[in-house]
Amino acid sequence: MKRILTVLFFVLSTFPLSAQDATWIYYPGDFEIWLGNETQNRRTERDGFFPPFWKMDSHYVAVEFSTKLVLPVAEEVEIYAEGKYNIKLDGKILPACNKITIPAGKHSLNIKVHNQAHVPAIYVKGQSFGSDESWKVTFEDKEWIDESGKASDTSSGTAYLQAGRWNFNSPDTPPSEFKLAVTPMTAAGTEKKGAGELIDFGKETFGYVKFHQLKGKGRLNIYYGESPEEALSTTHCETLDRIDIDNPSANDFTLEDSKAYRYIYVETDGDLSYSSVSMLYEYLPLDYRGQFRCNDELINRIWDISAYTMHLTSREFFIDGIKRDRWIWSGDAYQSYLMNYYLFFDSHSVTRTMLNLRGKDPVTSHVNTIMDYTFYWFIGVYDYLQYTGDREFVKQFYPRMQSLMDFCLSRRNSNGMMEGLAGDWVFIDWADFKMSKSGEVSFEQLLFCRSLETMALCADIMGDTEHEARYASLASDLKSKLFTSFWSANKNAFIHNRENGVMSEQVTPFTNMFAVLFDYLDAEKTKAVKDNVLLNTNALKITTPYMRFYELEALCKLGEYNHVLKEIRDYWGGMLNLGATSFWEKYNPDETGTEHLAMYGRPFGKSLCHAWGASPIYLLGKYYLGVKPEKEGYKEFSISPVLGDLKWMEGSVPTPKGDIKVYMDKKQIKVSATEGEGYLYFTSSGKPKINIGDIEQIAANRYRVMIDTGEEYIINGRF
Amino acid sequence: MKRILTVLFFVLSTFPLSAQDATWIYYPGDFEIWLGNETQNRRTERDGFFPPFWKMDSHYVAVEFSTKLVLPVAEEVEIYAEGKYNIKLDGKILPACNKITIPAGKHSLNIKVHNQAHVPAIYVKGQSFGSDESWKVTFEDKEWIDESGKASDTSSGTAYLQAGRWNFNSPDTPPSEFKLAVTPMTAAGTEKKGAGELIDFGKETFGYVKFHQLKGKGRLNIYYGESPEEALSTTHCETLDRIDIDNPSANDFTLEDSKAYRYIYVETDGDLSYSSVSMLYEYLPLDYRGQFRCNDELINRIWDISAYTMHLTSREFFIDGIKRDRWIWSGDAYQSYLMNYYLFFDSHSVTRTMLNLRGKDPVTSHVNTIMDYTFYWFIGVYDYLQYTGDREFVKQFYPRMQSLMDFCLSRRNSNGMMEGLAGDWVFIDWADFKMSKSGEVSFEQLLFCRSLETMALCADIMGDTEHEARYASLASDLKSKLFTSFWSANKNAFIHNRENGVMSEQVTPFTNMFAVLFDYLDAEKTKAVKDNVLLNTNALKITTPYMRFYELEALCKLGEYNHVLKEIRDYWGGMLNLGATSFWEKYNPDETGTEHLAMYGRPFGKSLCHAWGASPIYLLGKYYLGVKPEKEGYKEFSISPVLGDLKWMEGSVPTPKGDIKVYMDKKQIKVSATEGEGYLYFTSSGKPKINIGDIEQIAANRYRVMIDTGEEYIINGRF
């Protein structure tokens, strides 16, 4: 038995490691927290600093990294660390150094780092192994030494996690020096206006303004605008910079902080001159793995501007708007996760964002202080598992999921429902109609129920049968109550809320459309919601792309493909008609002129580039190309392409390690999948034919084809 | 009603504040955590970095400070901050600046600071007010703005504490630049030894070694020793420095890090010369408010060396030993608190230390990972209240007390007792005899019981009647079980432990003597413990000053004053005979020569300056001068002076804002107290006389006198 274990140990600890795999590693989640503090504390309002109003956590300032080694021959090992560190080989502290020789044989190597300002991190590179996610980390190794000098056994009392990492693969690129990429961009136009100059970069952008041949002494006043009106409003633009310059000879000058704008208005005080203004566009390098093209150029433009909006807001994290907050908001980010699965499939951006939002224990408030945003966090984990199959994430962070759920459970009322307590923000939506956020809001209970279902799933992954049963039972109880309490037989829809035991009369779209998305309704209630809420022109109207996301998704689920395409053309097309080069935080077609720019009681308060504006990417990929995972990580998928009123469409949907390509016109469907297996579903009014594989009829005019090779399946029929 | 409130508000917010009171403020406990990380991560073993093995917490990186003002006239206000900050006056963010003018009237002033590397802190100085502990602070203000621009009401959802402060009373001395004081000291002697030079500073000391007229190029090797043997052992001394020098012309050179030593051995490589070596003694400026003198010069020397030992270990925090760990250990610190009350009465050093030890939630292990050290933390709070009367401390940190107690309660076994679980260190003492640390250790239950009693007291202070009842009931249950489970009628003493339901046969001193200290025993059991354990020469022998502290205190409580003085002369006198200039971590009179220097399996592992060695300060102040508080903060005190075998003694015991002075010889007692009131108790074989006040007889030969004026009371009698 011992021999077998030793052999196994050798296999586990040496084979998967090689010197070229070395990367900077840290306590998982800590880089995400540190980076979030750095970035979220960059917000300014006018020229004042505007920090977030929820708890900012901190990385663990002292972290121990460890690995077990079996070296066939002695090897030289280079060690880099961010912070003050020590190296312990086989339990003995070595003198401070950054190169050690480890003799052949079995060894334990421990490195402990202290760093208050930055995340403790190491990069270790031997000949046969390197630092990677196989290393164990802890913030309390609990290794004490008794009076005889014997070290305590830490094996059972210490909680170890696998190391966190990203892509810091060189000793010269430590995590603390992380920066987004930049590339130079020129201005599209320049115009004298009043005492200054209005520079137009041609489209919404983000980056560092650069002055060329800046000379003289004086003050440079830079007013940023997503619209020309905003840039020219020196008194009301949302962001600005005032910089004192003293350049006796002409020099190029790039601003220290990057900002979002399409326009800048520059005024100089004193004796300043410059030859021109350009910028360094700042972005997260990402592949556009998802694609969509069709016969309708308006839809194509909407997809392109959605993708650009999504890319602008996919930065250090998935943020909300690039001009104003630049904060990580769980409800906004939740939509970015979904869009990301149909565009970049960049899982690290999802986990970076989720880990920052979750932060550390103790939980002292809802995520971003918002009750619904806590629930979106859970549901985001559910989707993440479904799309990526990354169970390791759950294994590392299940305790943090539990403590967040414990926080929720501790705040239920005597009905087992959650109401907004002191300090809780019940957000739901920026709606133009009045709605109560008090008492038992049915929408919140619905999201809470889905969160409990997510916890049951995660408990199952952890083999935590006791909690799995508990979460599942809580979810099922709450689901029953949702119907008994809020479904109105009279209105044939869910009621908005109940306050002090009194049911309101209001029907809002939120609970109703999410119940469709979560498959909580039977056929009869589904139809009722469709007719009475979703397609009822007298129902309350959603004016944010945020909730339009779910509204249109629900309509897609209900088969209203033509209607949804029309809505996309009207709503997103409406923004394009108004000159949008990225999609907005809020759009009410009934407003006119500069009304479109105002929000929060400020003339330019609205964000004109907001992540939640990019949902067509998701809708077109999931409901028109029709691709989605059926089992975790696309091990099994389904492809159900639907043209709606389009003549043809083609596109690609990324999977963890591959792509699913779909082409469809009225006579032909072509699909190929380089990973996983699954079914293509389609409706054909004539009997379809296929080049390879078999077509199986599953209902009248309804067929399916098993897709289980990487080849292209071509089906001819009448679609 | 409104008018009254306004007036009250005015009184509270303006009268106690004045410009000269301005001080740097921060989130309470955060400076203590940050400073503890800085100092505890300075430990080295040889030339390797040796960080603590428990969780290091972090300050809150974003903190909001706020105050309400009523200004009769407009005033100019200076604002300094450590970190990136904003200023919000009456809810509106001002442009970044460090001087604002606030108009006359009612205002709210909020300042929010972000700082990852250092503790967010501010210093605000107006004409009529300044930043002080009346300001409120929070790490999550939860002030969000709705779409109309209206700010949320944060009054009820946010937990505010009063600001923390120390003595950073000038804008130029921010908390991040805190340093202990230094003063130059010369060497007592220098001797050539081998290739180098042995420098003796005459006594144990702490500070920065300084080389005068250092010139040339080469390496300076400095080996530190608390003994000459250690300094000369270049291969085994516990600390050392190796510094590369390149000084073309002669310069004075002071080392960057301070260390503890009496001796240093200097060897140079290359071509280096220096004229002499001195040092900068580094210390916390503290008043020696407690005093003790008597006819016995040995006792006087023991008191002096105890006080010096105490001062050397009273630094940024009360630390254990100054050579090796320089860490904050709760069990060691607990004794420092008690000694402090009889020497410096520096309450801030107590709270600094307690706050660092407690750290932040979540609680992931016992304090310092040691079960007993968690309990000493609670008991330290009990004493702190008793000596200082500072209920504000409890009010600020009650939630942290509760979460630490919850941690304990969650780790009880089915008998409601605590056993060491995985990762728990059950320390008790460094004993030379074998004792089990497994199963239900009676000593741990005893400390647990006292901790629960402390929690009941704190719950009472908080008006938390529900928890008060719960803690009190848990304590009383546990106390009963202690007797039913561990008191052996056969041995007439407490048994050491029970493992898997089986009672051991061993009687150790710990539970028995602490039961005396906590007044848990009736007269019969008290006598049994005294005879069978404390005065039984066959009983197991304590060899650390740590447990001798409690052993001798218990004997004092039992009236064994002569015996205790003899023990002090033998034990502490024994160390002095061996040349001690500070008291040790461990002393076994049976050892000889360099055996006294070894510990932890290392020849110089033992600390020769250890806080727990200084207990005579406490014993002489509390049991011979006989001064102790009877009600919180010395509002009421008792003075019960006892000479033991001394001919005369005199001394002073500090109280929060005053002193109690005591003189006693065989014929006269003189006492005076500048604060509080209480009784002087004494035994006189003849009828005593007094200069002022009344003598009341309370038993045969036993008298008391009410002390309630600041005057000196002189009693003549036969004592």
Side-chain angles (χ1 to χ4, degrees), chain B residues 483-522:
Chain B
F483 284 92
T484 53
S485 302
F486 296 109
W487 183 264
S488 160
N490 182 24
K491 308 240 176 197
N492 237 336
F494 282 112
I495 294 293
H496 181 72
N497 75 327
R498 179 165 64 184
E499 224 169 322
N500 302 318
V502 181
M503 195 60 69
S504 86
E505 289 287 305
Q506 195 177 32
V507 172
T508 54
F510 313 109
T511 315
N512 290 290
M513 66 203 193
F514 272 75
V516 171
L517 294 178
F518 294 167
D519 288 319
Y520 280 6
L521 303 178
D522 60 21

Side-chain angles (χ1 to χ4, degrees), chain A residues 41 49 84 86 112 147 600, chain B residues 41 49 84 86 147 600:
Chain A
N41 281 298
F49 163 51
K84 193 172 176 182
N86 78 10
K112 200 156 165 183
E147 68 180 310
Y600 306 102
Chain B
N41 281 297
F49 163 52
K84 193 171 174 180
N86 77 11
E147 67 181 310
Y600 305 103

